[in-house]
Amino acid sequence: MAPTPPPGLAAEHVPLFNAAVRLLATHFAPGRHEVAAALGLSDGSTVLGLHVEGSCGRSSICAEGIALGAALAGRSGLADGIATIVACVAVLYITGTGQVRVIAPCGVCRELLWDYAADAAIYTWIPAGNAAGASTDATRSEGERGFELAATETAAGEARQWIVRDLLPDKTRRKGW
């Protein structure tokens, strides 16, 4: 069973949260796969992405970009031009706490989502009491994978919904896009 969705997450986006948490529970690896994202498409399908960390920081790819690439390359309605991205929910496993939380797309992912889904809903995270939202776990070994989904809970705080275009109000579009 997946953790309880956080307050502020729209009911129609709960399946995206659950799908991202399940993916992350299976593939989480410290320093390698720490974030999962789920894109909801207007045709009702869901496309998943898993963060891929590289040894050179620039070679790392965020979960949102992986999901977008999978949607474009796969047999989704997005690839066929008959569906649009309506939402993106990304989750982070907070090591050492047994908790997950929604995580906002980074600046690069916001730009990328704006290029392909400017009207999609995304979420930022407001920690309870504005506490720091992450910690490290010295007891977890580098080779350890996944986490126990049934023992995982949602961190204290709430999700806040935004429309991608509202986070980048003055973004210019490349010619021909």
mmCIF file of all heavy atoms in Angstrom, residues 137-171:
data_model
loop_
_atom_site.group_PDB
_atom_site.id
_atom_site.type_symbol
_atom_site.label_atom_id
_atom_site.label_comp_id
_atom_site.label_asym_id
_atom_site.label_seq_id
_atom_site.Cartn_x
_atom_site.Cartn_y
_atom_site.Cartn_z
ATOM 1 N N ASP A 137 21.167 9.425 5.444
ATOM 2 C CA ASP A 137 21.097 8.241 6.290
ATOM 3 C C ASP A 137 22.435 7.525 6.215
ATOM 4 O O ASP A 137 22.721 6.840 5.253
ATOM 5 C CB ASP A 137 19.962 7.330 5.812
ATOM 6 C CG ASP A 137 19.824 6.084 6.651
ATOM 7 O OD1 ASP A 137 20.565 5.940 7.638
ATOM 8 O OD2 ASP A 137 18.976 5.246 6.324
ATOM 9 N N ALA A 138 23.242 7.689 7.221
ATOM 10 C CA ALA A 138 24.573 7.070 7.237
ATOM 11 C C ALA A 138 24.503 5.560 7.400
ATOM 12 O O ALA A 138 25.469 4.865 7.147
ATOM 13 C CB ALA A 138 25.408 7.670 8.365
ATOM 14 N N THR A 139 23.355 5.027 7.823
ATOM 15 C CA THR A 139 23.251 3.586 8.027
ATOM 16 C C THR A 139 22.893 2.847 6.747
ATOM 17 O O THR A 139 22.927 1.637 6.704
ATOM 18 C CB THR A 139 22.173 3.263 9.085
ATOM 19 O OG1 THR A 139 20.899 3.687 8.582
ATOM 20 C CG2 THR A 139 22.472 3.962 10.396
ATOM 21 N N ARG A 140 22.575 3.538 5.701
ATOM 22 C CA ARG A 140 22.179 2.913 4.443
ATOM 23 C C ARG A 140 23.410 2.690 3.580
ATOM 24 O O ARG A 140 24.185 3.600 3.340
ATOM 25 C CB ARG A 140 21.196 3.822 3.736
ATOM 26 C CG ARG A 140 20.287 3.091 2.843
ATOM 27 C CD ARG A 140 19.224 4.045 2.333
ATOM 28 N NE ARG A 140 18.611 3.404 1.223
ATOM 29 C CZ ARG A 140 17.501 2.697 1.314
ATOM 30 N NH1 ARG A 140 16.877 2.604 2.441
ATOM 31 N NH2 ARG A 140 17.013 2.095 0.265
ATOM 32 N N SER A 141 23.581 1.500 3.085
ATOM 33 C CA SER A 141 24.760 1.201 2.273
ATOM 34 C C SER A 141 24.528 1.612 0.827
ATOM 35 O O SER A 141 23.398 1.640 0.350
ATOM 36 C CB SER A 141 25.083 -0.294 2.340
ATOM 37 O OG SER A 141 24.099 -1.036 1.656
ATOM 38 N N GLU A 142 25.598 1.902 0.139
ATOM 39 C CA GLU A 142 25.538 2.341 -1.255
ATOM 40 C C GLU A 142 24.825 1.311 -2.130
ATOM 41 O O GLU A 142 24.125 1.665 -3.055
ATOM 42 C CB GLU A 142 26.957 2.597 -1.785
ATOM 43 C CG GLU A 142 27.022 2.988 -3.247
ATOM 44 C CD GLU A 142 26.388 4.333 -3.564
ATOM 45 O OE1 GLU A 142 26.357 5.200 -2.689
ATOM 46 O OE2 GLU A 142 25.923 4.513 -4.700
ATOM 47 N N GLY A 143 24.993 0.021 -1.842
ATOM 48 C CA GLY A 143 24.414 -1.018 -2.677
ATOM 49 C C GLY A 143 22.965 -1.331 -2.371
ATOM 50 O O GLY A 143 22.325 -2.091 -3.081
ATOM 51 N N GLU A 144 22.417 -0.737 -1.334
ATOM 52 C CA GLU A 144 21.038 -1.029 -0.943
ATOM 53 C C GLU A 144 20.071 -0.479 -1.985
ATOM 54 O O GLU A 144 20.254 0.604 -2.517
ATOM 55 C CB GLU A 144 20.759 -0.413 0.426
ATOM 56 C CG GLU A 144 19.554 -0.975 1.095
ATOM 57 C CD GLU A 144 19.462 -0.532 2.541
ATOM 58 O OE1 GLU A 144 20.467 -0.055 3.097
ATOM 59 O OE2 GLU A 144 18.384 -0.652 3.099
ATOM 60 N N ARG A 145 19.032 -1.243 -2.282
ATOM 61 C CA ARG A 145 18.071 -0.844 -3.299
ATOM 62 C C ARG A 145 16.653 -0.857 -2.742
ATOM 63 O O ARG A 145 16.308 -1.683 -1.920
ATOM 64 C CB ARG A 145 18.124 -1.814 -4.488
ATOM 65 C CG ARG A 145 19.454 -1.850 -5.191
ATOM 66 C CD ARG A 145 19.605 -0.646 -6.107
ATOM 67 N NE ARG A 145 20.722 -0.764 -6.978
ATOM 68 C CZ ARG A 145 21.893 -0.177 -6.758
ATOM 69 N NH1 ARG A 145 22.082 0.546 -5.697
ATOM 70 N NH2 ARG A 145 22.873 -0.308 -7.603
ATOM 71 N N GLY A 146 15.831 0.026 -3.256
ATOM 72 C CA GLY A 146 14.422 0.044 -2.920
ATOM 73 C C GLY A 146 14.156 0.426 -1.480
ATOM 74 O O GLY A 146 15.057 0.716 -0.711
ATOM 75 N N PHE A 147 12.885 0.436 -1.124
ATOM 76 C CA PHE A 147 12.475 0.638 0.254
ATOM 77 C C PHE A 147 11.140 -0.061 0.444
ATOM 78 O O PHE A 147 10.453 -0.383 -0.522
ATOM 79 C CB PHE A 147 12.424 2.115 0.658
ATOM 80 C CG PHE A 147 11.562 3.006 -0.204
ATOM 81 C CD1 PHE A 147 10.204 3.126 0.034
ATOM 82 C CD2 PHE A 147 12.118 3.743 -1.231
ATOM 83 C CE1 PHE A 147 9.410 3.950 -0.732
ATOM 84 C CE2 PHE A 147 11.329 4.581 -2.008
ATOM 85 C CZ PHE A 147 9.974 4.689 -1.760
ATOM 86 N N GLU A 148 10.801 -0.304 1.678
ATOM 87 C CA GLU A 148 9.590 -1.036 2.006
ATOM 88 C C GLU A 148 8.389 -0.101 1.879
ATOM 89 O O GLU A 148 8.184 0.783 2.700
ATOM 90 C CB GLU A 148 9.684 -1.604 3.427
ATOM 91 C CG GLU A 148 8.500 -2.436 3.832
ATOM 92 C CD GLU A 148 8.270 -3.647 2.930
ATOM 93 O OE1 GLU A 148 9.242 -4.337 2.600
ATOM 94 O OE2 GLU A 148 7.113 -3.868 2.563
ATOM 95 N N LEU A 149 7.600 -0.333 0.854
ATOM 96 C CA LEU A 149 6.474 0.542 0.565
ATOM 97 C C LEU A 149 5.472 0.581 1.719
ATOM 98 O O LEU A 149 4.997 1.642 2.105
ATOM 99 C CB LEU A 149 5.784 0.085 -0.719
ATOM 100 C CG LEU A 149 4.746 1.007 -1.318
ATOM 101 C CD1 LEU A 149 5.330 2.378 -1.604
ATOM 102 C CD2 LEU A 149 4.201 0.412 -2.596
ATOM 103 N N ALA A 150 5.180 -0.562 2.302
ATOM 104 C CA ALA A 150 4.179 -0.625 3.375
ATOM 105 C C ALA A 150 4.622 0.145 4.618
ATOM 106 O O ALA A 150 3.793 0.592 5.398
ATOM 107 C CB ALA A 150 3.888 -2.077 3.732
ATOM 108 N N ALA A 151 5.928 0.307 4.805
ATOM 109 C CA ALA A 151 6.437 0.998 5.995
ATOM 110 C C ALA A 151 6.754 2.459 5.716
ATOM 111 O O ALA A 151 7.356 3.136 6.536
ATOM 112 C CB ALA A 151 7.692 0.282 6.496
ATOM 113 N N THR A 152 6.344 2.942 4.563
ATOM 114 C CA THR A 152 6.660 4.308 4.162
ATOM 115 C C THR A 152 5.467 5.214 4.398
ATOM 116 O O THR A 152 4.329 4.833 4.186
ATOM 117 C CB THR A 152 7.043 4.338 2.666
ATOM 118 O OG1 THR A 152 8.111 3.423 2.456
ATOM 119 C CG2 THR A 152 7.477 5.720 2.237
ATOM 120 N N GLU A 153 5.740 6.416 4.849
ATOM 121 C CA GLU A 153 4.672 7.393 5.059
ATOM 122 C C GLU A 153 5.024 8.683 4.340
ATOM 123 O O GLU A 153 6.157 8.883 3.889
ATOM 124 C CB GLU A 153 4.460 7.649 6.549
ATOM 125 C CG GLU A 153 5.695 8.187 7.239
ATOM 126 C CD GLU A 153 5.509 8.307 8.745
ATOM 127 O OE1 GLU A 153 4.907 7.415 9.348
ATOM 128 O OE2 GLU A 153 5.983 9.309 9.290
ATOM 129 N N THR A 154 4.058 9.544 4.227
ATOM 130 C CA THR A 154 4.273 10.843 3.597
ATOM 131 C C THR A 154 4.815 11.819 4.633
ATOM 132 O O THR A 154 4.319 11.873 5.753
ATOM 133 C CB THR A 154 2.948 11.381 3.012
ATOM 134 O OG1 THR A 154 2.450 10.414 2.081
ATOM 135 C CG2 THR A 154 3.158 12.707 2.301
ATOM 136 N N ALA A 155 5.851 12.565 4.265
ATOM 137 C CA ALA A 155 6.445 13.559 5.163
ATOM 138 C C ALA A 155 5.411 14.614 5.532
ATOM 139 O O ALA A 155 4.454 14.870 4.793
ATOM 140 C CB ALA A 155 7.645 14.218 4.486
ATOM 141 N N ALA A 156 5.610 15.244 6.677
ATOM 142 C CA ALA A 156 4.714 16.314 7.111
ATOM 143 C C ALA A 156 4.907 17.539 6.227
ATOM 144 O O ALA A 156 6.025 17.979 5.998
ATOM 145 C CB ALA A 156 4.979 16.662 8.572
ATOM 146 N N GLY A 157 3.831 18.046 5.731
ATOM 147 C CA GLY A 157 3.865 19.203 4.843
ATOM 148 C C GLY A 157 2.714 19.101 3.880
ATOM 149 O O GLY A 157 1.812 18.283 4.049
ATOM 150 N N GLU A 158 2.760 19.917 2.847
ATOM 151 C CA GLU A 158 1.687 19.854 1.864
ATOM 152 C C GLU A 158 2.207 20.185 0.478
ATOM 153 O O GLU A 158 3.215 20.871 0.309
ATOM 154 C CB GLU A 158 0.533 20.772 2.231
ATOM 155 C CG GLU A 158 0.845 22.239 2.156
ATOM 156 C CD GLU A 158 -0.363 23.089 2.508
ATOM 157 O OE1 GLU A 158 -0.608 23.264 3.713
ATOM 158 O OE2 GLU A 158 -1.053 23.567 1.583
ATOM 159 N N ALA A 159 1.499 19.646 -0.500
ATOM 160 C CA ALA A 159 1.805 19.925 -1.892
ATOM 161 C C ALA A 159 1.069 21.190 -2.307
ATOM 162 O O ALA A 159 -0.035 21.454 -1.839
ATOM 163 C CB ALA A 159 1.363 18.753 -2.762
ATOM 164 N N ARG A 160 1.697 21.960 -3.166
ATOM 165 C CA ARG A 160 1.041 23.151 -3.709
ATOM 166 C C ARG A 160 1.052 23.051 -5.220
ATOM 167 O O ARG A 160 2.111 22.876 -5.823
ATOM 168 C CB ARG A 160 1.764 24.416 -3.267
ATOM 169 C CG ARG A 160 1.095 25.662 -3.823
ATOM 170 C CD ARG A 160 1.636 26.923 -3.226
ATOM 171 N NE ARG A 160 0.911 28.057 -3.798
ATOM 172 C CZ ARG A 160 1.377 29.284 -3.796
ATOM 173 N NH1 ARG A 160 2.531 29.556 -3.247
ATOM 174 N NH2 ARG A 160 0.672 30.257 -4.326
ATOM 175 N N GLN A 161 -0.119 23.153 -5.812
ATOM 176 C CA GLN A 161 -0.242 23.004 -7.260
ATOM 177 C C GLN A 161 0.019 24.322 -7.979
ATOM 178 O O GLN A 161 -0.417 25.379 -7.532
ATOM 179 C CB GLN A 161 -1.635 22.501 -7.619
ATOM 180 C CG GLN A 161 -1.804 22.258 -9.111
ATOM 181 C CD GLN A 161 -3.153 21.682 -9.450
ATOM 182 O OE1 GLN A 161 -3.706 20.885 -8.714
ATOM 183 N NE2 GLN A 161 -3.699 22.084 -10.579
ATOM 184 N N TRP A 162 0.732 24.205 -9.080
ATOM 185 C CA TRP A 162 1.016 25.335 -9.965
ATOM 186 C C TRP A 162 0.767 24.891 -11.402
ATOM 187 O O TRP A 162 0.795 23.706 -11.699
ATOM 188 C CB TRP A 162 2.488 25.740 -9.881
ATOM 189 C CG TRP A 162 2.929 26.247 -8.557
ATOM 190 C CD1 TRP A 162 3.330 25.504 -7.482
ATOM 191 C CD2 TRP A 162 3.029 27.605 -8.159
ATOM 192 N NE1 TRP A 162 3.678 26.321 -6.437
ATOM 193 C CE2 TRP A 162 3.506 27.624 -6.827
ATOM 194 C CE3 TRP A 162 2.775 28.814 -8.799
ATOM 195 C CZ2 TRP A 162 3.720 28.807 -6.139
ATOM 196 C CZ3 TRP A 162 2.999 29.987 -8.108
ATOM 197 C CH2 TRP A 162 3.467 29.980 -6.788
ATOM 198 N N ILE A 163 0.612 25.835 -12.277
ATOM 199 C CA ILE A 163 0.627 25.568 -13.713
ATOM 200 C C ILE A 163 2.023 25.973 -14.190
ATOM 201 O O ILE A 163 2.544 27.017 -13.797
ATOM 202 C CB ILE A 163 -0.472 26.365 -14.458
ATOM 203 C CG1 ILE A 163 -1.853 25.996 -13.913
ATOM 204 C CG2 ILE A 163 -0.386 26.137 -15.964
ATOM 205 C CD1 ILE A 163 -2.214 24.523 -14.005
ATOM 206 N N VAL A 164 2.623 25.120 -15.007
ATOM 207 C CA VAL A 164 4.007 25.343 -15.432
ATOM 208 C C VAL A 164 4.208 26.772 -15.934
ATOM 209 O O VAL A 164 5.147 27.454 -15.530
ATOM 210 C CB VAL A 164 4.437 24.325 -16.514
ATOM 211 C CG1 VAL A 164 5.811 24.656 -17.069
ATOM 212 C CG2 VAL A 164 4.403 22.904 -15.964
ATOM 213 N N ARG A 165 3.327 27.235 -16.778
ATOM 214 C CA ARG A 165 3.485 28.572 -17.379
ATOM 215 C C ARG A 165 3.507 29.675 -16.315
ATOM 216 O O ARG A 165 4.147 30.697 -16.497
ATOM 217 C CB ARG A 165 2.410 28.752 -18.437
ATOM 218 C CG ARG A 165 1.511 29.838 -18.393
ATOM 219 C CD ARG A 165 0.541 30.032 -19.558
ATOM 220 N NE ARG A 165 0.340 28.994 -20.526
ATOM 221 C CZ ARG A 165 0.979 28.938 -21.715
ATOM 222 N NH1 ARG A 165 1.855 29.837 -22.057
ATOM 223 N NH2 ARG A 165 0.721 27.968 -22.559
ATOM 224 N N ASP A 166 2.837 29.454 -15.182
ATOM 225 C CA ASP A 166 2.815 30.460 -14.121
ATOM 226 C C ASP A 166 4.143 30.560 -13.371
ATOM 227 O O ASP A 166 4.428 31.580 -12.750
ATOM 228 C CB ASP A 166 1.695 30.164 -13.120
ATOM 229 C CG ASP A 166 0.327 30.307 -13.749
ATOM 230 O OD1 ASP A 166 0.205 30.995 -14.796
ATOM 231 O OD2 ASP A 166 -0.631 29.721 -13.207
ATOM 232 N N LEU A 167 4.941 29.510 -13.421
ATOM 233 C CA LEU A 167 6.247 29.547 -12.759
ATOM 234 C C LEU A 167 7.313 30.211 -13.617
ATOM 235 O O LEU A 167 8.369 30.586 -13.120
ATOM 236 C CB LEU A 167 6.693 28.132 -12.381
ATOM 237 C CG LEU A 167 5.864 27.464 -11.291
ATOM 238 C CD1 LEU A 167 6.337 26.037 -11.071
ATOM 239 C CD2 LEU A 167 5.950 28.249 -9.990
ATOM 240 N N LEU A 168 7.040 30.321 -14.902
ATOM 241 C CA LEU A 168 7.968 30.970 -15.840
ATOM 242 C C LEU A 168 7.176 31.953 -16.698
ATOM 243 O O LEU A 168 7.023 31.768 -17.903
ATOM 244 C CB LEU A 168 8.644 29.911 -16.721
ATOM 245 C CG LEU A 168 9.505 28.877 -16.007
ATOM 246 C CD1 LEU A 168 9.846 27.726 -16.932
ATOM 247 C CD2 LEU A 168 10.764 29.525 -15.475
ATOM 248 N N PRO A 169 6.664 33.025 -16.096
ATOM 249 C CA PRO A 169 5.738 33.902 -16.823
ATOM 250 C C PRO A 169 6.349 34.653 -18.001
ATOM 251 O O PRO A 169 5.636 35.019 -18.927
ATOM 252 C CB PRO A 169 5.257 34.874 -15.747
ATOM 253 C CG PRO A 169 6.333 34.872 -14.719
ATOM 254 C CD PRO A 169 6.918 33.485 -14.740
ATOM 255 N N ASP A 170 7.631 34.871 -17.988
ATOM 256 C CA ASP A 170 8.255 35.649 -19.052
ATOM 257 C C ASP A 170 9.143 34.819 -19.962
ATOM 258 O O ASP A 170 9.961 35.368 -20.698
ATOM 259 C CB ASP A 170 9.067 36.800 -18.445
ATOM 260 C CG ASP A 170 8.183 37.755 -17.662
ATOM 261 O OD1 ASP A 170 7.066 38.039 -18.126
ATOM 262 O OD2 ASP A 170 8.600 38.184 -16.569
ATOM 263 N N LYS A 171 8.971 33.517 -19.926
ATOM 264 C CA LYS A 171 9.812 32.643 -20.752
ATOM 265 C C LYS A 171 9.545 32.916 -22.230
ATOM 266 O O LYS A 171 8.412 33.092 -22.640
ATOM 267 C CB LYS A 171 9.519 31.176 -20.456
ATOM 268 C CG LYS A 171 10.380 30.227 -21.282
ATOM 269 C CD LYS A 171 10.126 28.804 -20.884
ATOM 270 C CE LYS A 171 10.811 27.742 -21.705
ATOM 271 N NZ LYS A 171 11.731 28.064 -22.705
#
